[in-house]
Amino acid sequence: MLLLIGIGLLSGVFIGRQIIKNNAIKNNSTNKLAPIYTNNSNTILRIKPLLYIKNTLDSVPYSLYKRIHSLTGMIFIGGFVVAHFINNSLAYNPKELNNLSKSIHKNPLFPIIEIFGIYLPLVSHIVIGLILLSRGKIDTRIKTETNYRYILQRISAYIILKTLIFHLVTIRFNEYLPDWFRKKFNIPSKRDYTYQKVNVWFSGPLAPIGYLMYISFIYSISYHLSNGIWTSAITWGLAKTYEQQAKLRKLSNIVFIALATWGKIILYLYSKPYSNHEEQDR
């Protein structure tokens, strides 16, 4: 929910910005932007708050955006994804995975950790990322590795955002899905049946959707985090020379291969029918 609110807020800012630009073009000859700020028009009351937010966002130095973005990405988002990979590696034993999920959800501090340790940093990372995207331009004519990495970083961000929304709706908050949908595809309504909730997306009619969403996510999140090591080091001045940056690029490539391989193993573990695990337990 916080994720959608953050995205909606930023979208409103940019829509308001475009409206203001259009009005400026129409009234360019006599500088008639003043009516936009008066209280005599219904349009003004809607645009003025957006203009204030837009000006506030524009007043923040680019370097500060970059540093906050790298911190939320590497410490919070990166740490959460690695922890998520560790937990989901228990998919080889669905009962242990479900018991772990149950114990986490029973922890009274879990809602606080989830909001302040996951959702708020994630929303901050996405909102600032969209601001940085609006300030930067992709130029496919530049044939360099650095530019290709820049393009892939942004493409992977869109794929990750799409998959996160899909994951939150179908796994995290799946108990709110319509009953007819859950019954049709045998999706469990209980929150702690983590293995079964993910497994249904790798078997039966939902398998093509599940594999498409999660394989693209695995490669995108692996690249986004591994490349983030390189960009964060540059942002914080830890890799000033070409030689240092070249070494970090090699390290990020290794991290990408390791994370992508790890993620694909997790997908394989989740693809085994739950009934097979029950037979092994007997």
Side-chain angles (χ1 to χ4, degrees):
M1 183 61 67
L2 289 171
L3 176 64
L4 297 178
I5 292 173
I7 295 171
L9 174 62
L10 192 65
S11 299
V13 172
F14 288 114
I15 291 172
R17 183 178 183 179
Q18 190 61 43
I19 293 173
I20 293 168
K21 283 185 177 180
N22 291 338
N23 278 277
I25 293 172
K26 291 178 182 178
N27 303 303
N28 186 43
S29 59
T30 57
N31 190 23
K32 294 183 179 180
L33 276 177
I36 296 179
Y37 304 101
T38 65
N39 294 324
N40 299 324
S41 170
N42 292 331
T43 305
I44 302 168
L45 296 177
R46 292 196 298 268
I47 293 178
K48 191 173 180 180
L50 294 177
L51 181 64
Y52 175 78
I53 296 173
K54 180 259 177 187
N55 289 336
T56 301
L57 293 175
D58 286 347
S59 66
V60 178
Y62 182 81
S63 59
L64 180 59
Y65 275 135
K66 290 286 291 182
R67 290 176 185 272
I68 297 175
H69 194 245
S70 67
L71 279 177
T72 55
M74 295 306 299
I75 298 177
F76 295 101
I77 313 305
F80 169 72
V81 169
V82 172
H84 216 52
F85 272 31
I86 293 173
N87 292 342
N88 282 277
S89 296
L90 286 175
Y92 73 90
N93 189 327
K95 288 186 176 181
E96 284 191 21
L97 178 65
N98 290 344
N99 288 335
L100 175 63
S101 178
K102 187 175 182 179
S103 64
I104 291 175
H105 293 154
K106 280 187 173 182
N107 190 321
L109 295 178
F110 177 70
I112 297 175
I113 296 172
E114 191 174 37
I115 292 173
F116 293 99
I118 300 174
Y119 290 135
L120 286 180
L122 179 60
V123 170
S124 300
H125 189 75
I126 292 173
V127 170
I128 294 175
L130 291 173
I131 293 173
L132 295 176
L133 279 174
S134 70
R135 294 187 177 186
K137 294 183 179 179
I138 294 178
D139 191 346
T140 56
R141 296 172 298 176
I142 302 176
K143 310 298 182 181
T144 63
E145 180 185 354
T146 301
N147 191 53
Y148 288 140
R149 283 177 173 268
Y150 179 86
I151 295 172
L152 287 175
Q153 188 76 350
R154 275 132 192 84
I155 293 174
S156 65
Y158 287 120
I159 296 175
I160 293 168
L161 178 58
K162 169 204 67 176
T163 313
L164 281 175
I165 295 173
F166 172 82
H167 182 76
L168 287 173
V169 171
T170 60
I171 306 297
R172 175 62 181 84
F173 300 107
N174 79 306
E175 60 264 31
Y176 300 106
L177 291 173
D179 290 337
W180 66 267
F181 185 84
R182 291 204 309 268
K183 291 178 180 178
K184 182 177 179 61
F185 297 106
N186 296 319
I187 299 176
S189 59
K190 291 188 177 181
R191 186 179 184 185
D192 299 324
Y193 287 178
T194 300
Y195 185 90
Q196 295 93 316
K197 288 195 297 184
V198 178
N199 176 253
V200 295
W201 292 98
F202 296 102
S203 58
L206 296 178
I209 300 174
Y211 277 108
L212 176 63
M213 297 297 291
Y214 283 105
I215 288 178
S216 63
F217 174 76
I218 288 298
Y219 281 108
S220 296
I221 196 68
S222 299
Y223 177 80
H224 204 77
L225 286 177
S226 60
N227 190 61
I229 296 174
W230 176 58
T231 56
S232 294
I234 296 174
T235 297
W236 291 93
L238 302 177
K240 297 181 180 180
T241 66
Y242 176 81
E243 290 76 14
Q244 291 174 332
Q245 294 179 16
K247 290 179 180 180
L248 275 173
R249 281 199 297 269
K250 292 179 180 178
L251 175 62
S252 69
N253 292 338
I254 295 173
V255 173
F256 166 72
I257 294 173
L259 285 175
T261 303
W262 190 2
K264 289 175 69 176
I265 292 173
I266 292 173
L267 293 188
Y268 170 76
L269 295 175
Y270 271 116
S271 66
K272 192 173 182 181
Y274 187 71
S275 58
N276 291 356
H277 289 286
E278 290 179 327
E279 291 174 0
Q280 292 175 3
D281 293 336
R282 291 174 185 172

